[in-house]
Amino acid sequence: MRSCFVAGLVLAAATAACGPADSGLTPPPTPSCAPAPASSAVSGDVLDATKALLGTLDDDQAAAAQDGGLSLEDLSDVQRAAVLAVLKAGLSDGGYQQIVDATAADGIDRYRVRLTGSPEAGGTWVVHFTGPGLAVNLAVAGNAISAVCGASPTPSPPAATPARGATSARRSG
């Protein structure tokens, strides 16, 4: 226990001594977004856009969208445009511009969309849009809209795998 406390103090001291202020580096800006002004018209636009998105998906895709989500890489151009239309309907102009900028920088195919809840008038549902540079949760509850945006953690690179025909030594026993 004491060694963990000491290690924590050393880590804190090292972080303070070597942090961004001393290194000349600045952390990337934390994305933020604002929902479009809440009104029944705006929530209706989000509902219409979400239903339009679901209308472009086949049964397997619709199930995947409600389950683990869909990679935009696996969607057609029409389906990708429908995903972006949902976000555009629910976010402020500045919030939507962050989506456009992030997907342009990272590649839109590296993003995923997932829906939770049941999009219906007066209902509650969430559109989750995540990728390497940005995560957005657009929640609709009746006429209320809430948007939470943040930086996505950078995914780890895939683990190295041995080349074809290579062997790895294993210890038996």
Side-chain angles (χ1 to χ4, degrees), residues 12-157:
T15 302
C18 301
D22 292 334
S23 65
L25 300 175
T26 56
T30 301
S32 64
C33 62
S39 72
S40 59
V42 171
S43 61
D45 290 347
V46 176
L47 175 61
D48 291 345
T50 304
K51 285 187 173 188
L53 166 62
L54 289 171
T56 69
L57 305 177
D58 64 31
D59 291 343
D60 291 339
Q61 289 173 318
Q66 294 274 337
D67 208 9
L70 293 168
S71 169
L72 270 65
E73 179 178 28
D74 298 330
L75 300 180
S76 70
D77 290 342
V78 169
Q79 292 168 323
R80 281 187 218 127
V83 169
L84 294 175
V86 172
L87 297 169
K88 184 173 180 73
L91 296 174
S92 66
D93 290 342
Y96 182 70
Q97 188 60 49
Q98 287 181 342
I99 303 289
V100 170
D101 293 345
T103 58
D106 300 327
I108 195 165
D109 287 348
R110 297 180 67 200
Y111 281 78
R112 297 184 65 78
V113 64
R114 183 169 62 99
L115 302 172
T116 54
S118 197
E120 55 192 45
T124 301
W125 75 95
V126 180
V127 177
H128 309 272
F129 184 78
T130 57
L134 184 68
V136 178
N137 290 313
L138 180 63
V140 178
N143 291 339
I145 299 174
S146 174
V148 178
C149 300
S152 281
T154 304
S156 302

